[in-house]
Each structure stands twice: as C-alpha cells, then as structure tokens.
Amino acid sequence: MHTATSVADDQRVQHDLRRFAGGPFDGRPLVTATEADLDVRLFRTTYLPSFVATGALEENHRPVEADLAWLRLTTPAGIPTALGALTIGHDPSAHVPGAYVQFVRYQGLDLDAPIADQQELRGNLVETTSRLSALLSGHLRTRLADDEGFREEQLPDYPPEALRETCMNAVMHRNYETSHAPIRITWFDDRIDVSNPGGPYGQVRADNFDRVHDYRNPNLARAMKALGYVNRFGRGIFRIRSTMARAGNPVPEFHVDASSWTVVLRKWP
C-alpha cells in the first residue's frame, strides 16, 4: 500500500523524468540508478572542489543532496543523471552500458598479431583517466635524439599530450545514448588507433570537423574542463596535430563516418 509520502515521491520522480527527457542524454535521469550508486566521498573531495573556490567551499553548509542536484549529477528528486554515473558513479557501465574503455596492445602490425596486454577500464571519469594515464605511460617507449652540443634527449615514440588529447576527446564526444560499444584503444607496433562510437554531431560534418564545434555531451564537457581533463574547448584536433608535428611524428589521420570516429597516431619514423 502506498503512503502519502511514497506517492509524493513517485510524483516527483515522474516529474523529473518528463522534465529532463528532451535534454541532452548526459543530463537525463537514469531510472535504474539511485544515490547509493554515486561515490559521495569522491564528489566531496574531488568533484565539488573543482567547481567551487576553497573559501566558498568552507562556507558551504548545504546538504550534499543539494550540491549534487546543483551540479546536475542528480535531478531535484535525487535521481542520478547520466552525468552523475559517468563522473562519480561506482560502476557507470551498469547504467550506461557503453561507458568503458577497451585497451588492446598487439605485438605486431595487425589484428592477427599476438596480444601483449588487454584491459577493460570500467570506472568513473576520475578513476578511468587515472588508470588510463598509467596504462598508456607504461606502454610508451623512448628513443635518444641527438642534439647540438653532444647532448642526448629522451623522446617518447608518441607525444603524451597528443595521446592524452585523443583519448579525452573520445571520452567527451562519444555516443553514450544509443551505442553499447566501448571506446577502443588499439596499440600496434607502428601506430595507435583510438575509436569511439558516435559520428559527427549537430553542426559538425565529416568535411568540417576540424573547424566547426558542437557538443553531444555538453554537461560532460563542462565537467571535464572543470576537472582539468580539457584545457580549452574546440582546440583538441589542433593540439593533436601540432604536438605530433613538433615531435616529428607523421600527420595524424582522422576517419569519420556516420557512426564512429577513429584517430590514427603513427609512431615516429
């Protein structure tokens, strides 16, 4: 039997579902999730301080539920949004099935080569970026570059900034709504392929993606910028190209179709 309180709660939930249904997917409520699916400790120690100055944070006496709703990680009724699950969820892929990264390192030049390492990263944004940084760094190799004056410099086979920018762009722009495929990082002996589901969005087309910008996941983009994973909006492709050029690597390749993006970073000659 429903009490007056439970009926009122159900009505608030239904109101939130209708209210957010027409917005971007990353701002919509996830009916399968509850606040227990969010890492409140991570929110307090890492996420909230990224949006609020230290002084204001010390004076903040609002309950955590109010702050979660203010930053769109939950609805006013307390339902976690896709943004909440992706950024501070204990297990995002339990509610957004494609929200994980698949990494495969091959000892060769094609998919028939032996696999040297294979991992799935199924954590929230903060956990995944930390694990991914360590994973990619562990697979980078360096070479000695001669410099004038008989000095030698250790250079990685791929510039870390280009690799990081490519992976963060994939996280930010992928289609979380209708695809259950992961972001795939496929590392061969001569190149790295980074692919994500979701073709051009909004004003972006295959012939203008390096000049025109639009956001499939605007709330996630805002969160990633506040957390420091993105430096400036609309500069990702330029930074990938420029850092590869400065390091002496071949020009990166961008393969765009209606349902996916793939960026190919090639090793220095």
Side-chain angles (χ1 to χ4, degrees):
M1 182 180 213
H2 286 295
T3 65
T5 301
S6 65
V7 170
D9 288 342
D10 288 345
Q11 290 174 339
R12 286 201 306 152
V13 168
Q14 293 304 317
H15 175 267
D16 279 358
L17 292 176
R18 290 191 298 270
R19 176 184 172 188
F20 293 98
F25 175 75
D26 63 356
R28 295 181 198 168
L30 299 174
V31 295
T32 59
T34 69
E35 283 191 20
D37 292 302
L38 303 182
D39 188 338
V40 175
R41 180 179 178 278
L42 178 65
F43 173 71
R44 286 173 168 157
T45 60
T46 302
Y47 197 93
L48 185 59
S50 298
F51 284 86
V52 182
T54 302
L57 196 59
E58 292 173 351
E59 298 174 0
N60 178 25
H61 301 296
R62 292 188 302 185
V64 68
E65 292 81 7
D67 285 329
L68 287 167
W70 171 57
L71 289 172
R72 303 177 185 177
L73 304 180
T74 69
T75 69
I79 309 170
T81 61
L83 177 67
L86 293 171
T87 55
I88 62 168
H90 291 295
D91 182 8
S93 62
H95 307 285
V96 184
Y100 67 100
V101 177
Q102 182 183 79
F103 174 88
V104 184
R105 173 69 163 95
Y106 289 93
Q107 291 180 319
L109 305 179
D110 55 43
L111 298 175
D112 289 330
I115 294 176
D117 190 9
Q118 184 170 220
Q119 298 189 36
E120 285 189 355
L121 308 184
R122 290 182 179 267
N124 57 51
L125 177 64
V126 176
E127 295 168 347
T128 295
T129 51
S130 177
R131 290 182 59 196
L132 187 57
S133 176
L135 176 61
L136 298 178
S137 296
H139 281 275
L140 285 174
R141 298 295 178 262
T142 59
R143 62 186 169 103
L144 287 176
D146 292 330
D147 195 2
E148 294 181 4
F150 299 101
R151 293 177 300 178
E152 292 182 336
E153 183 182 2
Q154 293 279 354
L155 295 177
D157 44 9
Y158 300 91
E161 184 179 354
L163 189 52
R164 172 185 175 278
E165 195 75 36
T166 300
C167 293
M168 290 300 96
N169 276 3
V171 171
M172 182 191 297
H173 294 294
R174 67 150 291 162
N175 174 12
Y176 291 97
E177 181 177 7
T178 61
S179 174
H180 294 174
I183 293 168
R184 291 188 172 92
I185 303 173
T186 313
W187 194 310
F188 300 96
D189 284 351
D190 65 337
R191 70 192 186 280
I192 301 172
D193 297 350
V194 180
S195 63
N196 60 280
Y201 177 81
Q203 302 180 68
V204 180
R205 304 187 307 270
D207 62 346
N208 69 5
F209 66 88
D210 56 348
R211 304 186 308 277
V212 177
H213 313 289
D214 211 332
Y215 294 92
R216 178 181 277 109
N217 307 303
N219 299 298
L220 180 60
R222 174 172 173 256
M224 292 181 70
K225 188 172 188 302
L227 288 164
Y229 301 129
V230 177
N231 293 315
R232 291 176 60 185
F233 289 140
R235 298 275 292 177
I237 292 174
F238 171 80
R239 293 186 70 189
I240 294 168
R241 285 173 169 165
S242 63
T243 54
M244 290 285 281
R246 287 198 302 269
N249 290 65
V251 176
E253 302 165 21
F254 296 86
H255 303 286
V256 185
D257 59 36
S259 60
S260 66
W261 285 68
T262 298
V263 181
V264 181
L265 306 178
R266 295 194 179 274
K267 189 177 177 180
W268 40 258

